Amino acid sequence: MTNPSDIVWHEQTVDRTAREANLGQRGAVIWFTGLSGCGKSTVANELDHQLNQFGRATVLLDGDNIRHGLCAPPGVLREEYSEEFANRFGLGFGAVDREENIRRIGSVAALMASAGLITLTAFVSPYRKDRDRVRKIIETSGAPGDFLEVFVDTPLAVCEARDPKGLYKKARAGEIKNFTGISDPYEAPPNPEVHLKGGDGATPTEQAAGVLAALVERGIIQPRA
Ligand SMILES: Nc1ncnc2c1ncn2[C@@H]1O[C@H](COP(=O)(O)OS(=O)(=O)O)[C@@H](OP(=O)(O)O)[C@H]1O
Ligand SMILES: Nc1ncnc2c1ncn2[C@@H]1O[C@H](COP(=O)(O)OP(=O)(O)O)[C@@H](O)[C@H]1O
């Protein structure tokens, strides 16, 4: 087994402050969480668009996309790798797999924020402990205030009625196991920095504007001149 002390951190000449100065902005992580279908991807995408129009350097990590690559399921990895490899590193939706999914994303988000990027993430991330761990990593590698949790609080009934991918229907029919909100838990954030109520008529643009206002209020971006 590898001894952790055999792996030594290498300091780099260009630090976060220099990268942020070049970009003229502060790196941060805006973490969207909520049920499947609550609007995470839509609102994060709209916010990404608004920030880019502002000239900010951003990146958007979306659960559906990341699960095609970095956090692919065993079935996808099997096409290119051995059965043993796919089973060992592929991720599904059991609690431990979700924990590893969020650990990997948290680590990537920390790297992106340290490169000075405003990093938007859209993952169900149903477990409080997993999200809190990411917060700790981001705030330890950066500073308190670098992590903003955005709870997209759309009622399950609304998400299920939307069902854009037909997943709720399959989950109700028992064709998908461990489906968040149906056969798996969602632990709501008790104190999110931004609490977006969904399903009450607010448009994605209005919801994104709410997050943008929080970013200005917290000094992550400067108000429009
Ligand atoms: N069992 C189960 N539970 C929840 N979601 C499921 C499941 N199976 C597939 N999907 C689809 O995968 C997307 C969620 O992936 P995430 O990486 O965000 O999930 S998690 O953070 O690890 O919980 C999620 O995407 P969104 O609908 O965009 O949230 C679903 O499309
Ligand atoms: N504020 C909103 N009002 C009405 N419909 C919305 C809103 N936000 C998202 N939607 C719709 O809800 C569905 C699910 O949104 P999506 O962003 O894919 O959710 P998630 O990423 O949380 O699964 C999509 O069809 C989207 O167009």
Side-chain angles (χ1 to χ4, degrees):
M1 193 187 286
T2 306
N3 187 336
S5 65
D6 292 342
I7 300 167
V8 181
W9 186 266
H10 193 281
E11 289 304 332
Q12 297 178 339
T13 309
V14 182
D15 65 8
R16 175 170 179 159
T17 314
R19 294 182 197 280
E20 290 181 333
N22 271 343
L23 290 170
Q25 64 178 43
R26 219 178 106 193
V29 174
I30 321 302
W31 189 277
F32 288 82
T33 173
L35 296 170
S36 175
C38 70
K40 301 179 297 297
S41 301
T42 306
V43 181
N45 194 58
E46 174 60 28
L47 178 62
D48 193 33
H49 177 61
Q50 292 182 11
L51 288 169
N52 273 272
Q53 285 187 322
F54 257 140
R56 304 294 156 183
T58 65
V59 64
L60 169 54
L61 307 173
D62 187 283
D64 284 323
N65 299 351
I66 295 290
R67 279 182 178 271
H68 279 84
L70 179 65
C71 300
V76 168
L77 294 182
R78 249 174 234 131
E79 292 166 15
E80 197 63 40
Y81 298 88
S82 71
E83 182 73 16
E84 187 201 349
F85 184 98
N87 290 337
R88 187 164 163 204
F89 298 114
L91 300 182
F93 289 91
V96 175
D97 285 31
R98 291 187 200 250
E99 187 174 1
E100 172 59 4
N101 186 36
I102 299 310
R103 189 192 72 80
R104 289 183 199 175
I105 306 313
S107 189
V108 171
L111 287 173
M112 302 228 162
S114 72
L117 297 174
I118 300 175
T119 307
L120 314 179
T121 71
F123 294 84
V124 174
S125 45
Y127 297 113
R128 202 170 295 151
K129 176 169 64 82
D130 298 345
R131 297 190 304 263
D132 287 347
R133 277 202 189 116
V134 178
R135 178 188 291 277
K136 197 169 151 198
I137 289 167
I138 302 302
E139 294 190 340
T140 311
S141 59
D146 285 355
F147 182 89
L148 269 85
E149 193 171 35
V150 179
F151 177 25
V152 187
D153 187 5
T154 308
L156 174 63
V158 174
C159 298
E160 192 166 357
R162 289 178 179 170
D163 204 9
K165 303 167 203 156
L167 298 177
Y168 281 98
K169 193 162 176 245
K170 283 191 185 169
R172 288 285 183 200
E175 292 166 26
I176 303 181
K177 304 216 180 320
N178 302 117
F179 198 82
T180 307
I182 304 295
S183 46
D184 230 40
Y186 178 78
E187 298 174 357
N191 292 305
E193 277 77 7
V194 184
H195 191 157
L196 298 178
K197 302 277 185 195
D200 60 359
T203 65
T205 306
E206 287 165 347
Q207 291 178 307
V211 186
L212 196 63
L215 297 185
V216 172
E217 191 187 317
R218 287 161 191 274
I220 291 172
I221 59 168
Q222 310 307 316
R224 217 185 276 263

